[in-house]
């Protein structure tokens, strides 16, 4: 049977967790809107309507708070990638890779991962972003390519495909090409995925089965991609 003291401690703990969640949510809005390290703890305290002392009771310094914000962001990224993998389970390998990369590119762009990993600011936090991207995104992509290679679906070493794809995705996230080519970022990433998987050389003959990478239509991601 719970005592009054136990209930009180539990209630205090729950209130503390809820307050920490509120702080992390507000910090995420502020820190990611104008830039990774431009918002001060004073500004955060004003936004929350609480003292810095209260914030520091939950997070001893700005770095620990930013880490909590990043953990929440990458948990959302991971949930999206898991959902994409579940939705394409059992479908052709090309579809699985395409949907994964589209989801990954969208999520990394949403949180500004490329800018966070390469921008100015706390070196340890930049390294933390890189580590989380490696673990949450590229670790899954590496395994997907290895699986395709084990199944005899890839003629190229999976390690090479991983390096090429990673470089392409990260470059596109900070590129001006969508504006220059008048494509959406999704169109550009989709075409890049097709290029990585199928090559960029157009078929020399009508009966050539190799697929050429072309600018996709809005419905391309809904069509089956042969493996």
């Amino acid at each position: 049977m719970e005592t009054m003291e136990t209930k009180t401690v539990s209630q205090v703990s729950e209130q503390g967790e809820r307050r920490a969640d509120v702080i992390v949510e507000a910090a995420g809005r502020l820190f990611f809107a104008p830039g990774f390290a431009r918002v001060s703890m004073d500004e955060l305290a004003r936004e929350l309507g609480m003292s810095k002392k209260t914030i520091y009771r939950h997070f001893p310094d700005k770095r620990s708070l930013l880490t909590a914000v990043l953990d929440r962001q990458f948990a959302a990224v991971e949930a999206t990638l898991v959902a994409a993998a579940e939705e394409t389970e059992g479908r052709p390998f090309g579809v699985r890779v395409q949907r994964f990369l589209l989801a990954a590119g969208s999520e990394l762009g949403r949180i500004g991962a490329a800018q966070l990993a390469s921008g100015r600011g706390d070196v340890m936090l930049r390294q933390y972003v890189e580590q989380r991207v490696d673990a949450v995104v590229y670790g899954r992509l590496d395994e997907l390519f290895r699986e395709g290679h084990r199944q005899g679906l890839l003629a190229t070493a999976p390690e090479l495909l991983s390096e090429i794809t990673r470089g392409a995705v990260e470059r596109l996230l900070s590129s001006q090409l969508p504006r220059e080519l008048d494509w959406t970022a999704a169109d550009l990433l989709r075409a890049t995925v097709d290029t990585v998987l199928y090559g960029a050389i157009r078929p020399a003959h009508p009966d050539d089965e190799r697929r050429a990478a072309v600018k996709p239509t809005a419905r391309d991601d809904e069509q089956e991609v042969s493996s």
Side-chain angles (χ1 to χ4, degrees):
M1 180 176 179
E2 288 186 321
T3 65
M4 182 64 70
E5 182 180 358
T6 302
K7 289 182 180 179
T8 301
V9 171
S10 176
Q11 290 172 353
V12 170
S13 177
E14 290 176 1
Q15 290 174 354
E17 290 178 3
R18 287 197 296 270
R19 179 169 291 176
D21 285 341
V22 169
I23 293 171
V24 171
E25 183 178 351
R29 290 197 307 270
L30 291 180
F31 290 151
F32 282 95
F36 190 44
R38 298 177 186 174
V39 176
S40 68
M41 295 295 271
D42 287 316
E43 291 172 305
L44 177 59
R46 284 195 296 271
E47 171 72 14
L48 288 166
M50 63 177 62
S51 67
K52 284 198 299 183
K53 182 178 179 180
T54 301
I55 297 175
Y56 285 130
R57 187 176 300 130
H58 297 278
F59 302 97
D61 51 39
K62 188 175 181 180
R63 178 183 291 170
S64 64
L65 177 54
L66 284 170
T67 299
V69 171
L70 289 170
D71 284 341
R72 174 172 291 193
Q73 295 285 342
F74 279 103
V77 172
E78 187 168 20
T80 298
L81 297 183
V82 169
E86 291 176 348
E87 290 170 2
T88 56
E89 186 174 356
R91 301 185 71 181
F93 181 72
V95 172
R96 295 172 61 197
V97 174
Q98 184 188 68
R99 296 291 178 82
F100 178 88
L101 287 175
L102 290 175
S106 175
E107 285 297 291
L108 292 177
R110 178 182 63 81
I111 67 173
Q115 291 75 21
L116 294 175
S118 62
R120 297 178 179 178
D122 192 303
V123 173
M124 291 184 64
L125 285 170
R126 292 205 309 272
Q127 292 174 343
Y128 184 71
V129 171
E130 293 174 353
Q131 292 168 0
R132 297 298 291 155
V133 171
D134 282 341
V136 173
V137 179
Y138 295 120
R140 284 181 165 81
L141 179 64
D142 292 345
E143 179 53 37
L144 187 56
F145 281 142
R146 285 194 294 267
E147 179 185 340
H149 190 261
R150 288 193 298 267
Q151 295 175 2
L153 302 175
L154 297 177
T156 303
E159 296 82 3
L160 176 59
L161 277 178
S162 292
E163 285 298 313
I164 293 172
T165 306
R166 175 173 182 154
V169 171
E170 292 182 350
R171 179 71 178 124
L172 288 175
L173 289 176
S174 57
S175 173
Q176 297 299 315
L177 273 179
R179 182 180 305 171
E180 294 173 3
L181 297 178
D182 195 26
W183 289 13
T184 67
D187 282 340
L188 195 59
L189 181 56
R190 191 177 294 112
T192 301
V193 171
D194 286 347
T195 300
V196 170
L197 291 178
Y198 307 108
I201 300 176
R202 295 183 182 278
H205 303 288
D207 60 349
D208 194 328
E209 295 182 354
R210 290 176 301 173
R211 176 177 175 177
V214 298
K215 180 177 178 180
T217 65
R219 300 295 298 173
D220 273 356
D221 61 334
E222 297 298 328
Q223 299 174 355
E224 294 286 344
V225 180
S226 65
S227 60

